[in-house]
Amino acid sequence: MYGHPADTLPAAEVTLEAEKASLLKQPKAVWATALAAVFAFMGIGLVDPILPAIAKNLDASPSQVSLLFTSYFLVTAVAMLITGYVSSRIGGKRTLLIGLAVIVVFASLSGTSGSVAELIGFRAGWGLGNALFVATALAVIVGVASGGPGTAIILYEAALGLGISLGPLLGALLGGWQWRAPFFGTAVLMASAFIALIALLPKTPLPERKVRLRDPLLALGHRGLRRTAASGLFYNYGFFTVLAFTPFILGMDAYGIGGVFFGWGVAVAVFSVFAAPVLQNRFGAVRVLIGTLVLLMLDLVGLGLAAGHSVPAVVVLVVISGALLGVNNTIYTELAMGVSDSPRPVASAGYNFVRWMGGALAPFAAAQLGEHFGPQVPFFAGALAMVAAIAVVFGGRRYLTSLSAAATSHGAGSGPGGLLRGVLGGLLG
């Protein structure tokens, strides 16, 4: 194939060749935005290794400390409803910069907290900045990247994976020294990203159509998007049960917890970017989603049985859950973007509003269940949430399958799955 002139290749293969060639040949603005996205996604798992230290130093219970996640994701979820409204009026670059500035301010304030209540409030402000940035970053990368939307999506997913894996590592390295340090470290990184985007990201044009505040909620009137979002809510409950509650049962210091969740994050990143597209193209999005949700349910049951009895088993099951979560993250995003007839930013906002509610509920609920009924119960509750997620998808499997298949055939040959296969094929000869 590589020795043939381009004009003898099918159109889809020509597109794939162009995307492969441009994957690493991107404008500086793309790399600056992607790096800022890495830093932003690091904020999700940053506090994981220092949760026990925060509880000890601020004289707080696990359920009180879990509100660091709840406030962050609750504000992120609600703010998703306004991000499109804001960015369609002031532009993507300004929205990114405002989001970064808000994160810098509230990450710095988090490091100065004198009580757990203050820290919870500052994390809520951090969540607002995170929503403004994360919801806009993909659209900006698509707008300035070379090589087409498939290339941009791969770069964005790679940034997400790196951020999720590096967040616990940074939290461990700085938190092992002083629990406040990860917050100041994040503020420095985000301030650096702010300066880089001012210098390297060109002004982004305003979209032709302004997004109304009610558009994301109206998008949820679509049956396919509504089912995907509802299943995503239950799925995220299980996701953040693992992320937010497990540190309290490991009995490790910040370095140990950070190491465990760095392995977890690497599994999320690798399986999200590489395994998910292969599985999706082989078996279909809905089948893969149901299968991985079943496996995740079993993994959570295993965590419940191991909690309080075997730390090595908990560590292994946490890392395995990362692989399953990585596949599911990509599949859910593909479904949410493919099944709706709304513009992608609008559909994404509606979907993320619902699914992040699961991330807001799980940490506090898991900690409360653990405090009152023992460390096994939160994981069993997470397994039940997976049952609900499976039931929602299974009930609409025919509808979701037909819609996702139509979306895949519409973009066949140039989507992220095709690009990944092409890049891997080129690397392997």
Side-chain angles (χ1 to χ4, degrees), residues 22 25-27 30 140-149 151-153 155:
S22 64
K25 296 179 181 179
Q26 297 293 334
V30 173
V140 170
I141 291 176
V142 169
V144 298
S146 60
T151 300
I153 291 172
L155 293 170

Side-chain angles (χ1 to χ4, degrees), residues 140-340:
V140 170
I141 291 176
V142 169
V144 298
S146 60
T151 300
I153 291 172
I154 291 299
L155 293 170
Y156 181 80
E157 289 185 351
L160 186 155
L162 280 174
I164 286 178
S165 61
L166 293 177
L169 188 62
L170 177 68
L173 293 176
L174 296 179
W177 168 56
Q178 188 4 286
W179 72 266
R180 299 179 187 271
F183 299 113
F184 294 122
T186 300
V188 171
L189 290 175
M190 299 309 284
S192 302
F194 182 91
I195 295 170
L197 288 186
I198 288 179
L200 300 175
L201 183 63
K203 184 179 179 180
T204 54
L206 295 175
E208 295 181 2
R209 176 181 175 274
K210 289 186 171 73
V211 177
R212 300 169 299 179
L213 285 173
R214 64 180 181 272
D215 283 349
L217 294 176
L218 292 176
L220 290 170
H222 187 277
R223 186 169 62 177
L225 184 62
R226 187 168 64 247
R227 278 192 173 273
T228 304
S231 180
L233 184 152
F234 291 113
Y235 160 70
N236 269 262
Y237 183 96
F239 183 118
F240 288 100
T241 293
V242 174
L243 183 63
F245 183 71
T246 307
F248 292 109
I249 67 169
L250 287 174
M252 298 177 177
D253 60 12
Y255 297 113
I257 297 172
V260 171
F261 279 94
F262 174 67
W264 171 87
V266 168
V268 171
V270 170
F271 278 78
S272 176
V273 175
F274 293 104
V278 174
L279 292 170
Q280 180 179 354
N281 284 292
R282 176 69 183 276
F283 302 105
V286 175
R287 288 183 179 179
V288 173
L289 186 59
I290 291 175
T292 50
L293 285 172
V294 170
L295 292 175
L296 186 56
M297 176 194 68
L298 296 175
D299 188 271
L300 283 161
V301 170
L303 281 167
L305 295 174
H309 301 291
S310 174
V311 170
V314 169
V315 170
V316 171
L317 289 168
V318 165
V319 174
I320 291 174
S321 76
L324 299 171
L325 295 168
V327 172
N328 280 348
N329 285 348
T330 298
I331 300 299
Y332 269 111
T333 300
E334 292 279 344
L335 277 176
M337 297 302 97
V339 302
S340 175

Side-chain angles (χ1 to χ4, degrees), residues 51-65 114-117 179:
L51 287 177
I54 292 174
K56 180 180 179 181
N57 284 276
L58 296 182
D59 193 26
S61 66
S63 59
Q64 289 175 315
V65 174
S115 68
V116 70
W179 72 266

